[in-house]
Amino acid sequence: MISLLIYFFLLIPLVSQILPTVPKNVFRISIGTIHSEGNWNIKNQNFNMNGIGKRYFNNGLNGEKNDFLSNYDLYHLGSTQIDTSNTFDLNYLGSDILDTANSVEDWLIKFNTYYGKNLPTLGKEGFDTNKTVSILGLFNERREKVFFGKKIKIDYGMSDEITISLSSSIYDKYLINQNFSNYSIGKASNVESLIEYHNYAKTEFKNFISSNNFDNLHRDIRSTIKMIYDYYYSDGSPYSVNWVFHSKDDPLNNLIVDDGFKPSALAGVDSLSLDSLVAFYYPEEKISSGIDDITITATVLLNGEPAWKTRKNGNTFYGMFKLIIPYGTTISPFINEKKPKQFSELNIGSGTLRGSIGFMGDWKLKYKKDSRFFLFSEFEFGADAILNTPAHLFSGGHTNPDSILKYVGNTYKYNQGVKLIVKTGGEIELGKNRFFDEI
């Protein structure tokens, strides 16, 4: 029969030095408390609502000729393709007039030419496309982090030279209190000409549709002009730019009223301020609990005698092989709801599989006094992991979490990279160790 010896250590806190290995067929269980508190206070951090800026001018969408074609900004609305699925007779004027028009701009140019009118053609405006539209702001951030729980480690001696270990932490509470203050945001840059043009264009279309000249047009031509007007200047259209007539060049300080800028959970609110958005994205408390990642370690005595086998401070050298299994919870995917769960969650684990190799040892130095030199080194590496993207207001560039995640993705690939850890130290015995002399 194989005899087993079990060592059980209950150390609160666990501060003593534990021998790297245990004898063959011996279990050693170590339990200790963990407790940490920390805080940081960072002032005047920058943020940029460039996602909203793209609704004025999206410099990230280029046509084949660098035309910056987009159906959803203010720069070149006329690039929208004519809806060929409608029932209007676009060929009414003959094959050489309107039937060759593919875009709204082309149709309006041909219409103006044929009828001698001067409706806005919604073409490219006099805008410097080398510039981006920035909406810059500042904020202060203060956080307090507190966690406490238990650290558990189980060692088993496979032989006198090899010990297998299993360890993890159990967090009873992992808490972050957060506060964002003194936040402010400025106006959209370089957009005055775009706003002025669409004020002018909407007025021109509206006045023309109310005129006798419009009533005298063929029914299908009237329907097409109304369709174009509704494309951009009615609230129900996906191409609508009506938001800009309220937002102007200061969308946050003028309050958000367009549903495209609101979180879906707040779509029923008439208007949103920056205060409302900060309260939605950043609850005062984020809290989690549970088990951290699990570490499996093999410690192998490569040279010398283990410390538990001899009282002499000899030269010992150990090799270590470690596998860290992602078990601790990470934040859940963002789901639009009244109080999104993700905003109040914390990452307990890293979410990625990691491994390491290393060594440690101590060597006796040749001095009059007994002295030793200690060295520990570990090289850690990790595999790729797919994690859920956090939707953050100040780093996301937009006020709508769906737009944030549409831009950056609902998930992202994460790799902790490589890490090299080196620790060293020494020991000098100033007095005779009478304890060992007595036993």
Side-chain angles (χ1 to χ4, degrees):
M1 178 180 292
I2 299 177
S3 61
L4 296 177
L5 180 63
I6 298 178
Y7 294 144
F8 185 82
F9 295 94
L10 181 59
L11 303 174
I12 305 177
L14 185 62
V15 295
S16 63
Q17 181 179 350
I18 297 214
L19 303 177
T21 60
V22 295
K24 181 179 179 180
N25 293 329
V26 170
F27 278 96
R28 177 175 62 195
I29 302 174
S30 308
I31 302 177
T33 60
I34 51 175
H35 180 207
S36 177
E37 296 185 17
N39 64 79
W40 60 92
N41 190 358
I42 307 176
K43 296 183 178 181
N44 297 323
Q45 296 189 73
N46 297 305
F47 71 97
N48 186 354
M49 289 293 169
N50 53 355
I52 293 180
K54 292 181 185 297
R55 288 294 301 274
Y56 291 92
F57 168 62
N58 189 349
N59 67 324
L61 295 176
N62 293 35
E64 294 180 359
K65 300 179 180 179
N66 290 328
D67 292 331
F68 297 100
L69 303 177
S70 173
N71 296 328
Y72 305 100
D73 66 12
L74 305 179
Y75 172 65
H76 190 185
L77 287 184
S79 63
T80 310
Q81 297 297 299
I82 285 285
D83 184 6
T84 56
S85 65
N86 66 65
T87 58
F88 311 143
D89 183 6
L90 299 182
N91 297 329
Y92 169 72
L93 296 176
S95 60
D96 60 339
I97 304 296
L98 296 183
D99 63 321
T100 58
N102 294 317
S103 68
V104 168
E105 181 185 15
D106 289 343
W107 195 94
L108 289 170
I109 290 173
K110 294 177 184 296
F111 170 81
N112 285 341
T113 300
Y114 187 83
Y115 282 100
K117 303 300 180 183
N118 195 29
L119 283 178
T121 59
L122 306 176
K124 291 179 287 187
E125 295 310 306
F127 181 81
D128 187 353
T129 56
N130 293 314
K131 295 181 178 179
T132 59
V133 178
S134 299
I135 308 175
L136 303 177
L138 295 171
F139 68 97
N140 294 345
E141 179 184 7
R142 179 173 57 83
R143 295 194 180 202
E144 298 176 352
K145 180 174 71 172
V146 178
F147 65 81
F148 55 85
K150 294 176 284 293
K151 178 80 173 180
I152 300 176
K153 185 178 182 183
I154 302 173
D155 301 303
Y156 173 67
M158 300 287 292
S159 68
D160 286 350
E161 292 77 26
I162 301 175
T163 295
I164 302 296
S165 305
L166 181 70
S167 63
S168 186
S169 297
I170 301 176
Y171 294 103
D172 299 319
K173 178 180 284 189
Y174 200 128
L175 171 69
I176 286 183
N177 292 313
Q178 58 185 2
N179 177 267
F180 293 81
S181 61
N182 294 333
Y183 38 80
S184 61
I185 192 166
K187 296 181 178 181
S189 60
N190 310 312
V191 297
E192 293 82 1
S193 62
L194 295 175
I195 297 172
E196 289 174 3
Y197 177 80
H198 285 289
N199 275 315
Y200 156 76
K202 181 178 183 179
T203 300
E204 288 294 305
F205 274 106
K206 191 172 183 179
N207 289 342
F208 181 72
I209 290 172
S210 300
S211 69
N212 291 330
N213 288 332
F214 178 79
D215 293 336
N216 293 330
L217 294 172
H218 185 275
R219 177 195 64 213
D220 291 332
I221 299 300
R222 294 199 309 268
S223 296
T224 303
I225 292 174
K226 284 184 177 180
M227 178 184 71
I228 292 173
Y229 179 86
D230 290 340
Y231 267 179
Y232 310 117
Y233 303 121
S234 66
D235 291 331
S237 170
Y239 310 123
S240 175
V241 298
N242 269 355
W243 60 268
V244 79
F245 303 122
H246 171 85
S247 298
K248 299 182 173 58
D249 62 349
D250 200 1
L252 274 296
N253 293 316
N254 285 337
L255 302 184
I256 291 174
V257 297
D258 185 78
D259 285 344
F261 294 156
K262 297 177 184 177
S264 299
L266 302 178
V269 180
D270 292 337
S271 61
L272 291 177
S273 65
L274 189 54
D275 289 335
S276 303
L277 291 166
V278 170
F280 175 74
Y281 276 92
Y282 301 108
E284 293 182 358
E285 184 177 273
K286 300 174 73 172
I287 187 169
S288 287
S289 61
I291 302 175
D292 199 354
D293 295 343
I294 297 172
T295 302
I296 301 174
T297 306
T299 305
V300 182
L301 178 66
L302 301 175
N303 183 64
E305 293 286 339
W308 52 264
K309 197 172 185 179
T310 177
R311 289 186 298 173
K312 295 181 180 180
N313 293 332
N315 297 328
T316 55
F317 187 68
Y318 297 91
M320 297 178 302
F321 306 90
K322 187 182 295 183
L323 179 67
I324 305 172
I325 301 171
Y327 186 83
T329 58
T330 57
I331 61 172
S332 59
F334 176 82
I335 299 175
N336 258 314
E337 49 193 356
K338 188 173 183 180
K339 291 184 178 180
K341 183 180 179 182
Q342 187 195 84
F343 293 164
S344 59
E345 291 180 326
L346 291 168
N347 287 330
I348 289 183
S350 67
T352 177
L353 181 70
R354 297 166 339 265
S356 72
I357 56 175
F359 65 86
M360 60 181 172
D362 66 278
W363 293 268
K364 188 175 182 180
L365 302 179
K366 296 180 180 180
Y367 292 112
K368 292 182 179 180
K369 300 289 186 180
D370 285 341
S371 57
R372 288 191 297 164
F373 170 74
F374 305 95
L375 180 64
F376 171 90
S377 181
E378 183 179 30
F379 179 76
E380 185 175 309
F381 47 90
D384 293 339
I386 303 299
L387 302 179
N388 295 310
T389 304
H392 289 162
L393 174 66
F394 288 130
S395 60
H398 207 286
T399 53
N400 186 336
D402 289 331
S403 296
I404 295 172
L405 297 178
K406 182 179 180 180
Y407 180 69
V408 301
N410 288 292
T411 59
Y412 67 98
K413 185 167 70 173
Y414 174 65
N415 189 311
Q416 284 192 334
V418 298
K419 183 192 302 183
L420 177 63
I421 302 171
V422 178
K423 299 178 183 179
T424 186
E427 175 185 88
I428 299 177
E429 188 179 65
L430 300 177
K432 192 68 175 177
N433 192 336
R434 297 185 181 277
F435 176 77
F436 280 117
D437 289 341
E438 296 295 331
I439 60 176

